[in-house]
Amino acid sequence: MALPSLKAKIYILLVSISTAFAATVTYDFNITWVTAQPDGFSRPVIGINNQWPIPHITASVGDRVVINVMNQLGNQSTSLHFHGLYMNGTTHMDGAVGVSQCAIPAGGSFKYDFKITQPGTYWYHSHNFGQYPDGLRGALIINDPEMPFKDQYEEEMVLTLSDWYHDQMPGLLKWFISYANPTGAEPVPDTALMNETQNLSINVESGKTYMFRIINIGAFAGQYLWFEGHTMRIIEVDGIYTDPAEAEMIYLTAAQRYSVLVTTKDDASSNFPVVASMDLDLFDTVPDSLNPNVTGWLVYDEKAELPTPAFVDSFDSFDDFTLVPYDKMPLLDKADFSFNLDVKMDNLGDGAN
């Protein structure tokens, strides 16, 4: 038998080193009902291990992730989907019920087992009958030892944005797809949340740079976001690193993710609002009682006041079409095959949209 070449030996060594540094990250999740009132209105929400908000999933590139799920809801089936992960070779772990996985029935269990190959900011949520707006949604953070901007910030934080409904999803879906709603108008949310709450305090120190991993985990509403008195530097969108780009305001559609760098001021005597505002253009009707905004604060001094956000009479968000991928991958200039799909929005025979 021929001895392996030097190139083969080096390859085997590199694979061995990579395997040695990879870890198996294990989570045990019991999916349960919990009562919560993130905006002051008490309602049942779907939590994990009798807690809500649900925990973040954190791993590193190369890790194996194992999640043991037990469905203890009692009255609903469920699943977990890992939004943004390609799941190459493990599509049966993707959690999309009726597409790549059967639902986990009440009282049943399922073991998710897959390898992480992508760095960046993601999220996980139920992918069963529009269930996740009832609470089963959380951040999925993939750390990257080779992250090109790792020396440009001192600390990172996760910031989730979302719309929030007081009614549970089964009833809202029944109304949405019914003859009573012939235009297909989406249910309008009751309020907005930031990190699954309102009036969020984000404690910061002066003269530091923070990386905010921002995720719109909402069901429907796009969100405008800005940090008063501070400029964001965009460095990642949906798991793709970008050349740094400065922005005063960004727009996140439902499920979209941004990572931005924010450098705090040297003067720590004042606090600054962080504001998210739901995109009202998406709503067929806007109730008079709806407050589309949710406010948090960069808190430099816990003894200083939390100022009211400045009035904004128009939204001028960053144009993400101008972003340049960090790896400089060129645009695909032609397609070998093209397919045209004609889509028509119409009503069913019974009048349902």
Side-chain angles (χ1 to χ4, degrees):
M1 179 182 295
L3 294 175
S5 67
L6 177 61
K7 182 183 290 187
K9 289 181 179 179
I10 293 174
Y11 173 78
I12 293 171
L13 177 61
L14 291 174
V15 170
S16 299
I17 292 173
S18 175
T19 303
F21 281 97
T24 297
V25 182
T26 303
Y27 292 90
D28 294 317
F29 286 170
N30 292 328
I31 298 178
T32 56
W33 286 106
V34 182
T35 299
Q37 45 185 2
D39 63 344
F41 181 88
S42 181
R43 55 151 293 180
V45 301
I46 299 176
I48 288 178
N49 299 335
N50 296 310
Q51 295 183 341
W52 189 88
I54 66 175
H56 298 172
I57 293 176
T58 304
S60 297
V61 174
D63 285 351
R64 174 189 174 199
V65 173
V66 176
I67 305 172
N68 300 304
V69 175
M70 172 65 74
N71 179 4
Q72 296 183 339
L73 293 175
N75 62 343
Q76 292 187 25
S77 56
T78 193
S79 75
L80 293 182
H81 169 66
F82 308 94
H83 198 108
L85 297 187
Y86 301 147
M87 288 292 183
N88 290 336
T90 53
T91 54
H92 56 296
M93 297 290 166
D94 196 42
V97 170
V99 179
S100 59
Q101 182 192 334
C102 294
I104 307 171
S109 62
F110 188 83
K111 179 181 178 180
Y112 291 94
D113 188 344
F114 54 91
K115 186 175 180 180
I116 297 294
T117 60
Q118 302 162 243
T121 306
Y122 305 90
W123 61 302
Y124 72 105
H125 57 85
S126 167
H127 208 303
N128 184 49
F129 288 108
Q131 187 180 65
Y132 80 78
D134 281 335
L136 189 48
R137 58 192 191 181
L140 168 58
I141 306 302
I142 307 303
N143 297 310
D144 180 10
E146 305 300 323
M147 202 261 200
F149 307 104
K150 62 183 178 181
D151 297 326
Q152 297 185 25
Y153 62 93
E154 286 81 26
E155 189 176 340
E156 68 176 64
M157 299 184 181
V158 173
L159 183 65
T160 64
L161 310 175
S162 67
D163 45 27
W164 186 246
Y165 295 84
H166 292 167
D167 293 325
Q168 293 183 49
M169 285 299 111
L172 289 174
L173 289 173
K174 185 177 180 180
W175 171 84
F176 176 47
I177 306 177
S178 73
Y179 67 88
N181 183 32
T183 64
E186 296 85 354
V188 175
D190 292 285
T191 190
L193 302 178
M194 184 179 289
N195 275 6
E196 302 288 38
T197 189
Q198 295 184 333
N199 302 313
L200 175 71
S201 290
I202 304 170
N203 292 316
V204 295
E205 298 178 15
S206 60
K208 290 181 64 173
T209 298
Y210 295 83
M211 181 173 74
F212 285 89
R213 297 182 182 269
I214 307 166
I215 313 169
N216 185 345
I217 61 173
F220 176 36
Q223 301 257 7
Y224 296 95
L225 175 73
W226 63 98
F227 294 74
E228 279 195 15
H230 297 72
T231 298
M232 294 174 277
R233 281 179 288 152
I234 301 167
I235 58 171
E236 179 217 341
V237 177
D238 294 341
I240 303 299
Y241 296 129
T242 69
D243 285 349
E246 292 192 349
E248 302 301 320
M249 177 185 294
I250 58 175
Y251 182 91
L252 297 94
T253 60
Q256 193 171 17
R257 296 93 62 203
Y258 272 82
S259 286
V260 304
L261 301 182
V262 176
T263 300
T264 55
K265 298 180 180 297
D266 293 329
D267 181 359
S269 61
S270 300
N271 303 319
F272 295 84
V274 180
V275 187
S277 185
M278 293 188 290
D279 184 358
L280 298 182
D281 289 341
L282 298 174
F283 303 163
D284 285 53
T285 60
V286 180
D288 293 337
S289 60
L290 176 65
N291 177 8
N293 301 331
V294 60
T295 302
W297 286 269
L298 294 179
V299 178
Y300 287 77
D301 183 351
E302 293 183 347
K303 297 180 181 178
E305 70 167 340
L306 300 177
T308 300
F311 178 76
V312 174
D313 57 5
S314 64
F315 297 110
D316 185 17
S317 59
F318 181 85
D319 182 2
D320 57 4
F321 272 77
T322 64
L323 289 171
V324 177
Y326 185 81
D327 64 5
K328 303 301 183 294
M329 178 180 174
L331 291 173
L332 303 177
D333 59 354
K334 73 171 188 175
D336 295 318
F337 300 96
S338 296
F339 301 91
N340 295 320
L341 301 177
D342 295 324
V343 179
K344 181 181 180 181
M345 301 294 289
D346 207 342
N347 293 341
L348 302 174
D350 63 356
N353 65 76

